[in-house]
Amino acid sequence: MNFDKFIKEYNEIYKAYVREYHVFAIKIGLSDAALNILYELRVENRKMSQKELGEALSLSKQTVNSAIKTLEVMGIVGITQSLDDGKTKLIEFTSSGEKFAVEKIDKIIEAEKTAFASLPSASAENMLTTVRQYYDRFVEEAKQIEF
């Protein structure tokens, strides 16, 4: 396979994958950023700071703040102060947010688990190994780029 064919198909798959999450967001009445934040909180299963969420999801501070404010108004997340650092705000599910996560976010995670379970074990491991190798190599190349 040549690079042009590879990169076109790789990007098509990536964009299609992202579109599926966009569809989920629309179906449950959230922005993409809000869905991604809830998904991250669910998968991490812990309180997270706005900074951690932004870094994990490659979202700007403004986008994270706006999405969290919306989720807070909806009663899905609450904001508490960190016991370690009084300035750091931690985001967590409220009790109604926990119910929302079970009814909405967990269905997405379950679909991912089902898709994963359908793959032969060796295929799943090879896929991760290959994608990791490609990413690591790309990062090395990207470091060499000067603009």
Side-chain angles (χ1 to χ4, degrees):
M1 173 183 297
N2 68 32
F3 175 74
D4 291 339
K5 183 175 179 175
F6 165 79
I7 200 65
K8 183 174 189 218
E9 188 165 346
Y10 183 85
N11 286 334
E12 284 175 6
I13 292 167
Y14 173 77
K15 289 184 280 188
Y17 193 73
V18 170
R19 272 193 306 274
E20 289 303 315
Y21 287 89
H22 176 68
V23 170
F24 288 139
I26 290 169
K27 285 182 178 180
I28 59 179
L30 296 174
S31 68
D32 292 357
L35 173 63
N36 290 336
I37 287 167
L38 296 180
Y39 182 95
E40 188 71 13
L41 286 170
R42 198 68 173 161
V43 170
E44 286 294 317
N45 195 29
R46 64 183 176 88
K47 298 175 185 179
M48 294 181 74
S49 71
Q50 291 184 25
K51 182 179 179 182
E52 287 177 303
L53 288 165
E55 289 173 356
L57 300 169
S58 298
L59 297 173
S60 70
K61 288 168 71 171
Q62 296 86 346
T63 299
V64 171
N65 189 45
S66 175
I68 288 171
K69 282 183 179 180
T70 299
L71 292 168
E72 188 178 28
V73 168
M74 294 173 73
I76 296 172
V77 300
I79 302 172
T80 58
Q81 297 287 25
S82 169
L83 298 176
D84 299 333
D85 172 10
K87 292 188 281 183
T88 302
K89 295 178 182 176
L90 298 175
I91 314 307
E92 65 183 323
F93 285 105
T94 61
S95 57
S96 62
E98 183 66 31
K99 183 177 181 218
F100 181 91
V102 167
E103 293 172 355
K104 311 286 186 195
I105 308 305
D106 288 359
K107 288 181 180 178
I108 297 168
I109 295 169
E110 192 58 39
E112 291 174 323
K113 285 180 183 176
T114 301
F116 171 78
S118 74
L119 299 174
S121 180
S123 294
E125 290 173 20
N126 288 338
M127 182 179 79
L128 287 179
T129 298
T130 301
V131 171
R132 172 57 63 192
Q133 288 172 344
Y134 177 72
Y135 170 76
D136 289 345
R137 186 67 185 130
F138 174 71
V139 168
E140 288 302 313
E141 291 299 317
K143 289 178 183 175
Q144 306 304 315
I145 298 172
E146 292 185 28
F147 293 103

